[in-house]
Amino acid sequence: MSKPLILVLGDQLSHDLPSLQALPDGAVIALCEVADEGRYVPHHPQKIAMMLAAMRHFADELRARGLRVHYSALDAPDNTQSLVSEAERLARHYGCDEIRVVRPGEWRLWEAFKAREAGPLPWRLLEDSRFYTTPEAFAAWMRGRKQPRLEHFYRTQRRASGLLMEADTPLGGKWNYDADNRHPLADAPPLPAPLRHAPDAITRDVLELVAEHFGEHFGRLEDFDWPVTRAQARAELADFLETRLAHFGRYQDAISDEAPRLFHSRLAAALNLGLLSPRETCEAAEREYLEGRAPLNSVEGFIRQILGWREYVRGLYWTRMPDYKRGNHLEASRGLPSCYWSGDTELRCLRRAIEMTRDHAYAHHIQRLMVTGNFALLCGVAPQALCDWYLAVYADACEWVELPNTLGMVLHADGGLMGSKPYCASGKYIDRMSDHCRHCRYDPKRVTGTHACPLNALYWHFLMRHRDRLASNPRMRLIYAGLERMGEAKREAIRQQAEAFLEGLACETAPRWAGGDQAHQHALGYRYRESSP
């Protein structure tokens, strides 16, 4: 009889995981805390703590079911601190004849596991059934499509799932209600109080462990309140449905100087860990509309993020890797501005986004796309540098979802595979959608001069730099027509303003975070991966 070691990864904390079904009597389930996974980028301490606390709670749930579980704690003296070597050490210890593992969330692990398939202790890789689609199904949908747009995929997903559908027709008569979902912060109603999750004894132990081993990483552990059990994740879902969903759609593009979440859900981390399933989450949101508690534009917008966007970026990741990661269509080469680690910038919108990220391991998707992302795009930051930062600092960042969003959506580095045009914007956009500008020393209405918002000159400078690539794009012709109408003297003044700002921008080719110099960071095992040409 087979005696497998079932390796459960930190983002696979679901009792319906394929590898946990129909277990042989001798199976040993292994969950492993290893330093390598906390340091290949300098992950935010809250992100590490969330995953380790969730893993420890899940291990206890498995034991309560009567299953045999080995848990390798980070500080255990015999821990090899690498997933592959630790799993193989445990398999040999328990006399297992194979290692079973479900598809991981990163290509580097997938390749590492596949390299062991034919070894003396074979690894058996299983497909992850917790998503609406598989990489194989997405590849079939992609076949023959030159431009695999989200909207086309999303409609296929709606028909297949039946969500918000009446026969073959979308409820309300439209597939997409984005036009109703772009209201600024100024007319938003009072914000609901956030749900808090008080750390229990297990989580408190993890917080102490993370502070000891990863305390030098960018980010604070104070006020940690991420859901780390399925019960907490379900409470977070219920709270979102009751207090935020009704206004989510209308204000999902708004940005606040003080409130990180607004009407957003903060459910992505629980979904990515496996504490919630996409199906139960989408079906719960659909019920809110069907039972009259939330408007269609909010429910459709929320479901589109999970059923459409989340599945779409995962499909692109697995069908385009590893070449996708080397994309750099705009030939960006600048190092990451040092303010991404320090928050030291006079641009109020950028500083607040970085401070919120530092304090909460969270910023909502418009802050990521139109503040930290837009600034990096306009400054020509190398894709690998920004991708590493996003992967490190956000609690919900798994590479399968982070990389396409950052490289493709934010930086347009995939040449338009994901988006038909770059998501570039001037300071006027930030002024319209947020309350940042009233607190900023810069004026979003000025393009040049001492008090002009740097985003304005950077925006036009970006368009000038990439005229050959972008001017023929049908969605950008009006923008370039506006650039052409400017006088040569004005364009030259903008160019000089932007280049003076860029020349004074402190950038780094290696990451920096509080608590250690470069030599210390290298001793911890972190290696910056150079950006691809």
Side-chain angles (χ1 to χ4, degrees):
M1 178 180 291
S2 174
K3 185 179 181 181
L5 183 87
I6 311 297
L7 178 61
V8 176
L9 305 180
D11 58 353
Q12 298 177 348
L13 309 181
S14 304
H15 289 281
D16 57 356
L17 194 70
S19 58
L20 296 178
Q21 309 310 305
L23 289 171
D25 290 341
V28 178
I29 301 169
L31 292 94
C32 304
E33 299 175 355
V34 294
D36 279 2
E37 295 305 303
R39 291 186 178 133
Y40 69 93
V41 294
H43 293 289
H44 196 296
Q46 287 196 31
K47 179 182 183 180
I48 298 172
M50 177 191 69
M51 183 170 286
L52 299 192
M55 289 170 62
R56 292 186 179 198
H57 282 96
F58 188 69
D60 282 352
E61 292 176 13
L62 293 173
R63 293 187 185 103
R65 290 172 49 189
L67 299 174
R68 189 178 187 184
V69 178
H70 180 102
Y71 197 94
S72 291
L74 184 72
D75 52 0
D78 51 357
N79 189 330
T80 67
Q81 305 299 341
S82 166
L83 274 177
V84 170
S85 62
E86 183 66 3
E88 292 185 347
R89 180 183 75 83
L90 296 177
R92 290 191 294 270
H93 175 78
Y94 287 103
C96 297
D97 52 19
E98 69 173 5
I99 297 171
R100 297 181 192 174
V101 64
V102 169
R103 179 190 291 268
E106 295 201 12
W107 181 268
R108 65 181 179 86
L109 288 177
W110 174 255
E111 288 290 281
F113 297 165
K114 284 182 69 67
R116 317 295 287 185
E117 281 185 300
L121 181 61
W123 287 60
R124 181 179 167 196
L125 277 63
L126 307 177
E127 191 52 76
D128 197 335
S129 62
R130 299 173 300 154
F131 294 83
Y132 278 98
T133 55
T134 63
E136 183 180 14
F138 188 86
W141 176 82
M142 282 268 289
R143 205 164 291 127
R145 296 177 186 268
K146 293 182 179 179
Q147 292 186 320
R149 295 291 182 234
L150 165 68
E151 187 63 27
H152 303 145
F153 174 74
Y154 173 54
R155 294 183 185 190
T156 300
Q157 291 285 89
R158 286 275 294 277
R159 290 189 177 101
S161 67
L163 286 165
L164 297 178
M165 297 291 292
E166 187 172 4
D168 200 44
T169 303
L171 292 180
K174 294 195 299 184
W175 294 100
N176 185 315
Y177 289 85
D178 240 4
D180 301 331
N181 293 347
R182 296 168 183 160
H183 287 255
L185 184 64
D187 59 347
L191 298 176
L195 179 67
R196 304 284 299 182
H197 305 284
D200 62 8
I202 292 175
T203 302
R204 289 195 297 271
D205 285 346
V206 166
L207 292 172
E208 291 181 9
L209 181 75
V210 171
E212 178 184 352
H213 290 271
F214 304 100
E216 73 286 345
H217 286 197
F218 168 86
R220 295 177 176 170
L221 273 173
E222 293 85 355
D223 295 325
F224 176 93
D225 74 334
W226 287 95
V228 295
T229 66
R230 175 158 169 77
Q232 289 179 343
R234 286 182 60 81
E236 189 92 20
L237 172 60
D239 179 74
F240 168 70
L241 297 175
E242 181 181 348
T243 67
R244 298 174 190 268
L245 177 60
H247 298 296
F248 164 76
R250 189 176 178 90
Y251 301 105
Q252 67 174 294
D253 284 7
I255 308 171
S256 168
D257 196 72
E258 293 299 327
R261 290 182 58 186
L262 298 178
F263 297 101
H264 291 263
S265 73
R266 205 181 69 153
L267 293 173
L271 283 164
N272 293 349
L273 288 177
L275 302 179
L276 292 174
S277 81
R279 288 176 178 81
E280 70 177 317
T281 305
C282 289
E283 289 168 3
E286 182 187 44
R287 281 194 300 274
E288 294 300 298
Y289 168 68
L290 296 176
E291 296 175 10
R293 292 186 292 271
L296 183 56
N297 68 300
S298 283
V299 174
E300 185 277 321
F302 178 71
I303 287 176
R304 180 161 21 99
Q305 288 194 351
I306 299 173
L307 177 69
W309 195 253
R310 185 172 186 265
E311 298 283 333
Y312 174 73
V313 297
R314 183 173 183 264
L316 282 179
Y317 179 83
W318 285 111
T319 56
R320 294 287 174 145
M321 283 292 282
D323 291 342
Y324 190 82
K325 194 167 186 174
R326 293 189 282 270
N328 193 358
H329 177 68
L330 299 180
E331 298 180 349
S333 59
R334 187 178 300 276
L336 189 73
S338 60
C339 64
Y340 278 71
W341 299 109
S342 68
D344 184 14
T345 173
E346 292 185 293
L347 274 160
R348 179 75 180 194
C349 56
L350 184 61
R351 183 169 82 247
R352 290 300 292 134
I354 293 168
E355 288 172 346
M356 290 175 184
T357 299
R358 176 200 64 200
D359 294 346
H360 307 291
Y362 174 84
H364 69 67
H365 72 275
I366 295 300
Q367 286 177 296
R368 302 188 203 190
L369 177 62
M370 302 308 300
V371 181
T372 53
N374 180 52
F375 184 76
L377 172 69
L378 299 183
C379 292
V381 172
Q384 190 68 68
L386 189 68
C387 288
D388 277 1
W389 187 78
Y390 276 118
L391 183 60
V393 302
Y394 291 117
D396 56 14
C398 302
E399 192 180 67
W400 64 264
V401 66
E402 173 276 323
L403 180 66
N405 272 299
T406 308
L407 189 143
M409 184 80 164
V410 170
L411 296 178
H412 200 66
D414 63 3
L417 179 68
M418 285 187 65
S420 57
K421 76 175 189 67
Y423 279 85
C424 53
S426 68
K428 293 178 181 178
Y429 174 88
I430 303 298
D431 191 30
R432 184 170 69 252
M433 299 307 298
S434 80
D435 57 355
H436 287 311
C437 298
R438 72 182 66 166
H439 306 289
C440 189
R441 69 165 289 249
Y442 295 117
D443 185 347
K445 297 179 176 61
R446 297 187 185 184
V447 179
T448 58
T450 305
H451 297 290
C453 175
L455 292 174
N456 292 335
L458 290 172
Y459 171 74
W460 292 111
H461 186 253
F462 171 83
L463 295 174
M464 293 177 201
R465 293 200 320 271
H466 299 294
R467 186 195 306 262
D468 291 347
R469 287 188 175 92
L470 302 176
S472 61
N473 186 314
R475 295 187 64 194
M476 301 194 74
R477 284 174 184 164
L478 286 177
I479 298 171
Y480 274 98
L483 180 63
E484 291 301 318
R485 286 193 296 270
M486 288 182 187
E488 181 59 35
K490 184 174 182 179
R491 287 198 295 268
E492 178 60 19
I494 289 172
R495 185 188 66 78
Q496 291 183 18
Q497 179 97 5
E499 291 182 359
F501 178 86
L502 292 172
E503 187 175 343
L505 189 64
C507 295
E508 301 181 359
T509 56
R512 174 171 58 86
W513 59 92
D517 58 20
Q518 289 293 313
H520 176 60
Q521 292 160 26
H522 283 292
L524 288 171
Y526 181 76
R527 297 292 183 271
Y528 177 64
R529 294 168 287 171
E530 294 294 339
S531 60
S532 302

